[in-house]
Amino acid sequence: MAHGQHGGKSGPLGPGRRRGRGRWYAVAPALAATVVAACVPAAYAAAPAPAAAAAPAQGAGDGLDRYHRQRLAWGSCVKGPDDTAGRDLDRAGVSCADVTVPLDYADPRGRTITVAVSRLKATDTRRRIGAVLLNNGGPGGTAVESPPHIRKAMKQVGTRYDIVGFDPRFVGRSTPLDCGWPVGTAWFSAGSGRAGFDRQVALQKDLADKCRAAGASVLAHISTRNTARDMDVIRGALGERKISYLGYSYGTYLGTVYTQMFPGRYDRVVLDGAVAPGDYKARLMQGAEPENERALSDWAAWAAGRHDAHGLGRTRAEVLATVEGIVAASARGPLTVGAAPEVFRLDDTQVPLVLFMGIADDTDKARTALAEQVSALAKAAQGRPAPLSPDFAQLLRYALTGEQAATGGVQAAIICGDVGAPRDPEVYWRDIERSRAAHPLFGPLTNNINPCAFWDRPREELTRVRRDAAVLIVAATGDPRTTYRSSAGLHELLPSSKLITVENANRHGLYGEYGNGCVDGEVNAYLATGKLPKEDRTCSTASPSSSSSSSSSSD
């Protein structure tokens, strides 16, 4: 569940941004968003967690003292002569270190791995509040590069925090895992018929087999619960009694898990684009078809008003008809885009992914990028030369080549390490066929098979929300990744939480990203004072940079 279309994310659908985000939208933008469910299953409400899922006691005798008390060697962030991101961090005053953690928390004296962290220290030391830990989602997104960006978003209160980014285990600068995939993501559509689905079954099994061959000794230890345990080691190594947290997309699920496993060890928690635990599953986007269709329709209306620039149609219906024609043409034969030396061929399992990734952001910049991509695909569907914009070329390199294969492999490892999935391909095919009538474009994507069908079963059960947590949740009503229904579901599970709603926005990722002064102001006030708003709040999108807000009850 990454978000956004500006480079850096790494969710089920998109390359990560250089600023270090990576919300769950994977291939350049994001497949994974998380999911919805009009109701949160009762099993996730207040039942006691099973013994296997209980957090290990941390204190004398648990074997973790040496990890919590380790002295971090802070220094330059530059890892090599070509590490421009590291040099940028150094210039911004960020220091980096590696935190040692056990591979297996059940065997703390066994094999260890490292988790990369970065820190931009508080400058207002007299009024220092503490440290805030960042996660940009994905799963599998990096955050080591994020502190300078978040410091800017936090404005004056940012000087009162140590802002700490980290790359979760086996992500980015941490101990690596590269499954050697030929593609950068596993999240494709099943296409228009059985032949495309059968190809997907073969591909997804191959991707799972490659991860098993490359990382058999570590796959069982890649999970959200272990990342939460790593977070607590980071807290201890920083010398903090409690730590604050800012998480986007999948990072909201990680943050919720931390509050449940370590209830006395967090301070201020902001969850942007939140995932209700009951909506976290192997097919992350299953159930979010209506939100994606609405976002595509809204984009089509926008594009219709710019027909002279993009040539996609003068009405919403005409633009949507253009899209349908592209998908139909890709089902008849792959569409060729680009020119030598960089040429891509996209079939009906891949074209829906491009559309899906492009609709998680309703800013003019993002909508223009998608219009350029659709215009290229429309030319290809007509058999005409279809030149690639730099952004489109980057997206396709990410999704369809092994250029950033490590990102997709780790993302699958986290999701499949967390939740079990049906093993029988026919289960997926039946779901695809059932969804196709109502959701012909996105149903075969959201219900498609993925590597989890061929993964070993998770070692632990999913975390259950059994403790209240006073957190701040931020959500847009039209978010097509982590849907508003999911954010509202988490809000209901956590009675002491407060919800900031942005109305009429098809946007995934708000704080410090969307330019909404109302959202940024509410979050920064909470980070400054530690006091949640007295009531849920609603922010207008009439002007994203405006600061208008009104109180309302979310019920």
Side-chain angles (χ1 to χ4, degrees):
M1 303 164 182
H3 78 268
Q5 185 146 322
H6 4 351
K9 321 245 164 127
S10 67
L13 300 181
R17 310 163 81 138
R18 291 314 303 161
R19 284 192 297 199
R21 279 159 320 206
R23 321 237 165 99
W24 96 347
Y25 82 85
V27 128
L31 187 195
T34 196
V35 256
V36 201
C39 304
V40 176
Y44 286 88
Q58 308 231 327
D62 66 0
L64 296 177
D65 287 358
R66 67 187 180 104
Y67 296 103
H68 284 263
R69 295 173 181 171
Q70 65 186 288
R71 300 175 70 90
L72 302 182
W74 295 102
S76 171
C77 296
V78 177
K79 292 291 188 180
D82 298 325
D83 187 4
T84 57
R87 285 195 291 274
D88 289 343
L89 288 172
D90 282 0
R91 282 193 291 267
V94 176
S95 298
C96 291
D98 289 326
V99 178
T100 301
V101 299
L103 172 66
D104 181 357
Y105 277 86
D107 182 20
R109 299 187 183 281
R111 179 179 170 185
T112 63
I113 57 176
T114 58
V115 173
V117 295
S118 62
R119 180 176 65 180
L120 187 56
K121 295 193 72 174
T123 55
D124 187 354
T125 55
R126 185 176 62 84
R127 299 191 300 158
R128 182 182 180 275
I129 294 170
V132 58
L133 194 61
L134 313 176
N135 183 276
N136 288 314
T142 68
V144 159
E145 298 169 30
S146 293
H149 171 70
I150 296 301
R151 169 65 58 84
K152 182 178 179 181
M154 292 173 72
K155 299 181 179 175
Q156 286 303 111
V157 70
T159 64
R160 301 174 61 192
Y161 279 91
D162 288 356
I163 303 175
V164 181
F166 79 106
D167 289 354
R169 52 175 50 202
F170 301 102
V171 170
R173 295 168 182 249
S174 298
T175 297
L177 170 67
D178 188 342
C179 292
W181 283 7
V183 291
T185 181
W187 315 98
F188 296 101
S189 172
S192 58
R194 182 72 196 211
F197 174 71
D198 288 343
R199 291 195 301 272
Q200 282 294 305
V201 172
L203 170 65
Q204 302 299 338
K205 182 179 186 302
D206 181 61
L207 297 180
D209 289 345
K210 281 180 163 56
C211 279
R212 192 172 293 108
S217 65
V218 301
L219 290 184
H221 308 291
I222 303 177
S223 69
T224 297
R225 289 181 65 82
N226 277 335
T227 299
R229 294 176 178 122
D230 294 344
M231 287 168 53
D232 203 56
V233 170
I234 293 171
R235 177 199 58 77
L238 292 172
E240 301 288 343
R241 187 176 65 87
K242 294 185 177 183
I243 198 162
S244 294
Y245 179 80
L246 168 62
Y248 295 86
S249 193
Y250 159 83
T252 68
Y253 175 71
L254 173 61
T256 300
V257 169
Y258 187 81
T259 68
Q260 301 304 298
M261 293 179 67
F262 303 99
R265 298 178 187 171
Y266 62 89
D267 185 10
R268 300 160 202 194
V269 175
V270 179
L271 306 179
D272 190 321
V275 183
D279 290 338
Y280 183 68
K281 49 194 173 185
R283 287 183 280 182
L284 287 169
M285 290 308 304
Q286 191 180 42
E289 298 87 2
E291 285 80 3
N292 281 277
E293 289 167 350
R294 190 177 312 122
L296 180 64
S297 179
D298 289 349
W299 168 81
W302 176 93
R306 293 155 181 81
H307 174 75
D308 291 345
H310 304 294
L312 300 176
R314 296 188 180 279
T315 66
R316 183 198 309 256
E318 288 180 0
V319 175
L320 291 175
T322 298
V323 170
E324 291 173 5
I326 291 168
V327 176
S330 70
R332 294 190 294 270
L335 307 183
T336 301
V337 294
E342 192 161 48
V343 177
F344 299 92
R345 291 168 59 81
L346 286 76
D347 64 20
D348 57 342
T349 69
Q350 299 157 341
V351 168
L353 174 63
V354 171
L355 299 167
F356 177 87
M357 292 189 300
I359 55 176
D361 185 346
D362 62 4
T363 60
D364 281 350
K365 180 178 180 181
R367 283 177 161 176
T368 298
L370 179 57
E372 292 172 348
Q373 294 163 15
V374 174
S375 179
L377 291 171
K379 291 183 177 69
Q382 298 166 0
R384 298 162 53 198
L388 290 175
S389 67
D391 284 348
F392 197 14
Q394 181 193 25
L395 184 156
L396 295 178
R397 282 196 299 271
Y398 172 86
L400 306 181
T401 76
E403 183 176 279
Q404 296 185 44
T407 300
V410 176
Q411 182 175 72
I414 295 169
I415 297 170
C416 304
D418 281 341
V419 289
R423 317 298 268 187
D424 183 359
E426 296 307 313
V427 171
Y428 298 88
W429 178 245
R430 287 193 295 269
D431 289 345
I432 290 164
E433 289 294 273
R434 274 195 296 266
S435 68
R436 195 187 299 277
H439 310 291
L441 177 59
F442 292 121
L445 189 155
T446 60
N447 290 278
N448 195 23
I449 196 167
N450 63 52
C452 300
F454 308 100
W455 218 264
D456 293 341
R457 292 294 185 185
R459 281 199 168 189
E460 295 186 83
E461 294 188 33
L462 281 170
T463 302
R464 299 179 182 224
V465 174
R466 54 180 179 172
R467 298 182 175 94
D468 193 8
V471 306
L472 185 62
I473 300 171
V474 180
T477 57
D479 187 337
R481 293 295 170 270
T482 53
T483 69
Y484 186 73
R485 287 177 288 154
S486 202
S487 293
L490 180 62
H491 180 39
E492 291 178 5
L493 280 178
L494 303 175
S496 295
S497 66
K498 289 295 181 286
L499 176 63
I500 308 297
T501 296
V502 178
E503 293 186 316
N504 304 315
N506 304 130
R507 168 71 191 206
H508 185 55
L510 297 166
Y511 172 68
E513 301 266 336
Y514 199 42
N516 189 294
C518 171
V519 167
D520 293 354
E522 292 285 356
V523 172
N524 286 338
Y526 168 58
L527 292 173
T529 65
K531 296 179 181 179
L532 289 167
K534 291 183 179 180
E535 297 183 18
D536 295 338
R537 310 280 293 185
T538 297
C539 293
S540 170
T541 53
S543 173
S545 61
S546 70
S547 59
S548 62
S549 70
S550 59
S551 298
S552 68
S553 169
S554 67
D555 298 332

